[in-house]
Amino acid sequence: QSVLTQPPSVSGAPGQRVTISCTGSSSNIGAGYDVHWYQQLPGTAPKLLISGNSNRPSGVPDRFSGSKSGTSASLAITGLQAEDEADYYCQSYDSSLSGSWVFGGGTKLTVV
Amino acid sequence: QVQLVQSGAEVKKPGTSVKVSCKASGYIFTIYFMHWVRQAPGQGLEWMGIINPNSGATSYAQQFQGRVAMTRDTSTSTVSMELSSLTSEDTAVYYCARAGIPAINPINWFDPWGQGTLVTVSS
């Protein structure tokens, strides 16, 4: 059971727009901690996609965007491409217990 | 360029320990915190702990307390993670991941990541 909740899967056709939600609580996202997103292609290490809720690192296409509101965050992908098929994870910090970095359970994006 | 290169795959017996290393290059080793994250087969990402390469101070996820130890060697820019009392549930890919920005407050993102080290626990 992950501290941050993501849908297990989403799908979309090439060219379409999809969103992936990440729901937390008052001890993590709702406490003001930033949300970050990672893309994991099959058989590879995760790669930073969005930092600080909505910032794209150099080299990440502007088709990817992030937002945060209240206790939730979202990743949007527009102009879906076959190469976007991957697992996506949100990550934040949780101040409960002794404090820890936490991940969502991951969302498998299928480009149909 | 910034690079994290991890040690190779390991096969261990239940009850034993494993030590995974992560050699950093391309940046000032001591000013970026380093994390360890694991991923069981077909599962999500699980944060294990963090080490301050400058002081050696560590903080571990509650579920690994007493069973994990993270160390650093500043002379070789290498951090290591040792996990003991292994069971089949510890079979996973283990990643080192650097904090995204140098800061006294380590609460930020992970970038970059090492290539991962597969640890298989089997009798």
Side-chain angles (χ1 to χ4, degrees):
Chain A
Q1 195 83 354
S2 300
V3 173
L4 306 178
T5 301
Q6 298 179 234
S9 63
V10 297
S11 63
Q16 285 191 332
R17 178 182 188 269
V18 297
T19 62
I20 298 172
S21 61
C22 175
T23 303
S25 66
S26 58
S27 62
N28 43 68
I29 300 175
Y33 295 108
D34 286 342
V35 178
H36 319 292
W37 292 89
Y38 304 88
Q39 177 192 60
Q40 187 176 34
L41 298 170
T44 68
K47 169 195 157 188
L48 179 68
L49 200 61
I50 298 286
S51 65
N53 306 315
S54 59
N55 301 303
R56 279 188 314 276
S58 172
V60 173
D62 59 7
R63 301 186 296 104
F64 295 90
S65 63
S67 64
K68 173 191 160 185
S69 178
T71 58
S72 296
S74 288
L75 173 70
I77 310 172
T78 58
L80 211 53
Q81 299 181 4
E83 67 207 49
D84 298 333
E85 189 160 292
D87 293 322
Y88 293 84
Y89 293 90
C90 61
Q91 175 252 312
S92 186
Y93 181 83
D94 192 288
S95 59
S96 63
L97 300 174
S98 55
S100 62
W101 285 256
V102 292
F103 290 95
T107 299
K108 169 68 178 178
L109 169 62
T110 302
V111 180
V112 296
Chain B
Q1 76 283 19
V2 177
Q3 202 170 10
L4 303 176
V5 178
Q6 298 183 221
S7 51
E10 303 261 14
V11 179
K12 294 293 182 179
K13 301 280 189 193
T16 64
S17 299
V18 68
K19 190 170 187 176
V20 180
S21 66
C22 169
K23 183 173 176 59
S25 62
Y27 70 96
I28 302 173
F29 176 70
T30 52
I31 67 172
Y32 288 82
F33 289 81
M34 193 76 80
H35 299 263
W36 286 91
V37 176
R38 76 175 185 180
Q39 185 172 36
Q43 302 301 308
L45 302 170
E46 180 179 31
W47 181 77
M48 298 182 68
I50 183 174
I51 183 167
N52 179 340
N54 186 44
S55 66
T58 57
S59 178
Y60 304 133
Q62 196 168 36
Q63 62 268 38
F64 297 106
Q65 293 273 2
R67 207 162 68 90
V68 70
M70 296 175 188
T71 57
R72 95 294 190 208
D73 182 342
T74 56
S75 69
T76 60
S77 298
T78 300
V79 296
S80 298
M81 184 281 301
E82 184 168 18
L83 188 63
S84 60
S85 302
L86 293 170
T87 71
S88 58
E89 297 195 347
D90 294 315
T91 293
V93 176
Y94 290 77
Y95 295 101
C96 59
R98 197 196 72 173
I101 54 176
I104 294 175
N105 180 356
I107 301 177
N108 56 80
W109 55 92
F110 306 143
D111 182 51
W113 296 59
Q115 84 275 18
T117 296
L118 175 62
V119 175
T120 303
V121 183
S122 174
S123 54

